[in-house]
Amino acid sequence: DSRDRVCVTGAAGQIAYSLVPHVAGGNMFGPDQPIILSLLDIAPCMGAVRGVEMELQDCAYPLLQGVIATSDPNEAFNNVDFAILVGAFPRREGMERKDLLAKNAAIFEEQGKAINAVASRNVKVLVVGNPANTNCYICKHFAPDIPAKNFSALTRLDHNRAKFQIAAKAGVDISAVKNVFIWGNHSATQYPDVFNGTVTVDGVDRPVVEAVGDQTWLEGEFISTVQKRGRGIIDARKLSS
């Protein structure tokens, strides 16, 4: 079977709603790769998932050769080649990332066990739901028959947040900022590292410290802003990003 089987969890959520058209339309696996898409969410959300399924059908994507909408992890992950784990317990106002661990541990334990039991032996797992690093570790732990190298956690959001802060402070486009790193989990303990970072100014790559010209800001407000940006968004929107 030349078709890739792809599972997206949290299929009723706003991130999955933006993601699945790209998967179905060929932006993720290429313009010639047919797929079967599996949509997983909890039972109370299945009405919304059915709506997503109907919209996918109405788009008539040539590469989309089947949609499975389910609340059963064993059905969702059956023979999948790629699993994108978007669904997680959402962060609420006043919650720190550590408060999410107890809620999410059970979710990713269940999904890890299901992946271990029924997914392709070479399945690639991308964990998006936060705290992504910890959730990824839990999922990997409960899927011991799948190679550990097949599990990844997506923390690009923190990287983007750090790049924006540097670009805004230096007065340059975001594309001018390079080699900024994030160490640690998606939490208030993460560390945005600009030690090897550069900012292109007038065609010349300069160290971030030189381009920004404010060591105190780099060692204080910059770090805390990136670490606590999620809380700031929740305070403003009353919703997680």
Side-chain angles (χ1 to χ4, degrees), residues 9-229:
T9 74
Q14 61 179 349
I15 295 176
Y17 188 77
S18 298
L19 172 64
V20 292
H22 292 284
V23 178
N27 291 335
M28 185 170 185
F29 298 103
D32 301 314
Q33 178 59 55
I35 68 164
I36 295 176
L37 184 60
S38 179
L39 304 175
L40 176 66
D41 215 313
I42 58 176
C45 295
M46 287 312 296
V49 176
R50 298 294 183 194
V52 174
E53 179 184 15
M54 288 188 286
E55 288 189 286
L56 287 168
Q57 292 167 344
D58 292 346
C59 288
Y61 292 108
L63 297 173
L64 184 58
Q65 298 190 359
V67 178
I68 300 167
T70 181
S71 59
D72 179 359
N74 286 296
E75 181 182 7
F77 293 118
N78 189 38
N79 291 323
V80 297
D81 303 291
F82 301 93
I84 308 171
L85 308 187
V86 177
F89 189 86
R91 185 180 179 188
R92 302 280 171 78
E93 189 173 1
M95 291 179 70
E96 292 290 346
R97 292 293 169 186
K98 63 183 179 180
D99 299 325
L100 296 181
L101 292 179
K103 297 288 188 181
N104 283 305
I107 295 172
F108 286 88
E109 176 181 347
E110 179 184 41
Q111 293 181 0
K113 289 178 177 177
I115 289 170
N116 197 63
V118 301
S120 163
R121 297 300 84 183
N122 196 37
V123 62
K124 304 300 192 299
V125 181
L126 175 62
V127 178
V128 180
N130 285 316
N133 293 14
T134 301
N135 290 342
C136 185
Y137 177 82
I138 293 170
C139 186
K140 177 187 73 68
H141 177 78
F142 286 100
D145 297 335
I146 306 298
K149 67 180 181 180
N150 289 17
F151 291 82
S152 299
L154 186 67
T155 53
R156 180 62 180 265
L157 177 60
D158 299 311
H159 175 252
N160 289 346
R161 287 170 171 170
K163 286 186 66 176
F164 170 78
Q165 293 298 323
I166 295 297
K169 187 71 171 178
V172 300
D173 293 336
I174 291 177
S175 60
V177 181
K178 301 180 180 67
N179 294 333
V180 172
F181 293 88
I182 299 292
W183 301 103
N185 210 344
H186 183 80
S187 71
T189 60
Q190 66 178 277
Y191 183 76
D193 179 5
V194 300
F195 183 77
N196 294 302
T198 63
V199 178
T200 304
V201 180
D202 297 327
V204 178
D205 289 343
R206 304 184 184 280
V208 167
V209 173
E210 178 184 329
V212 168
D214 190 338
Q215 188 72 29
T216 301
W217 179 83
L218 282 172
E219 294 177 354
E221 183 181 344
F222 164 68
I223 293 174
S224 63
T225 296
V226 176
Q227 289 175 334
K228 300 175 182 177
R229 186 68 161 186

